Amino acid sequence: MEIFKPINEKKAKGKVKNIFSEIKKTRKISKIPNFWRSIAHNPALLERTWNSLKAVMKDGALDSVTKELIYVAVSITNSCGYCTRSHTFAAKKKGATDQMIKEMIDVVGIANQNNKLVEAYQVEVDKIYK
C-alpha cells in the first residue's frame, strides 16, 4: 500500500498540472500513471524525474525500444513489479514483440545466474577484459 495517496489528476495545479499534461502528450496516454501521481507530492522531484526520463529514454545511439527493454531488464533484477509492467507496456507500444520480451527475460535470467556464480566463486577478471 502506498505511503501517500496519489495526486488526483483532475485536482493538479500549477507545475504539476503542466507536467501531467506534457506526460500525457509525450507518452500518448489519456491517464497519468500512479508513479507520476505519487511523486507529484514533491513537484521538484516530479519535474526532475520527468526531465531526466525524457532525456535518457529518447532515441539516440540506442533506439527507444532497446532502451525500454533495458529498463525492463533492470526492473526485473531490482524486483520492481510496477516498473516491469509499465515499461513492458511501453516497450510493446513502441514495437517490441512478445518474442523480444521473452528473449530479454532469458538474458536477464542467465545474466543474473552467471553474475551470482562469478561472485560466489570470486572469479578473477581475465587479462583480455582489462
Side-chain angles (χ1 to χ4, degrees), residues 36-125:
W36 299 108
R37 293 177 42 226
S38 292
I39 69 170
H41 285 281
N42 180 340
L45 174 64
L46 173 68
E47 182 176 43
R48 186 170 60 246
T49 304
W50 172 241
N51 287 335
S52 293
L53 186 80
K54 284 189 306 183
V56 170
M57 297 302 284
K58 69 181 180 182
D59 281 336
L62 296 173
D63 63 85
S64 63
V65 174
T66 302
K67 289 182 178 190
E68 290 294 349
L69 292 172
I70 292 168
Y71 203 116
V72 174
V74 172
S75 298
I76 291 168
T77 298
N78 287 333
S79 300
C80 182
Y82 182 93
C83 296
T84 299
R85 293 287 185 135
S86 67
H87 286 275
T88 298
F89 178 85
K92 285 182 173 185
K93 195 171 180 180
K94 293 177 179 181
T97 64
D98 286 346
Q99 190 58 38
M100 291 168 73
I101 293 166
K102 289 174 189 175
E103 286 185 21
M104 178 269 310
I105 291 170
D106 285 345
V107 172
V108 169
I110 197 69
N112 278 309
Q113 172 190 308
N114 291 348
N115 286 178
K116 296 297 182 189
L117 290 171
V118 165
E119 286 302 306
Y121 283 96
Q122 293 295 293
V123 178
E124 184 178 339
V125 177

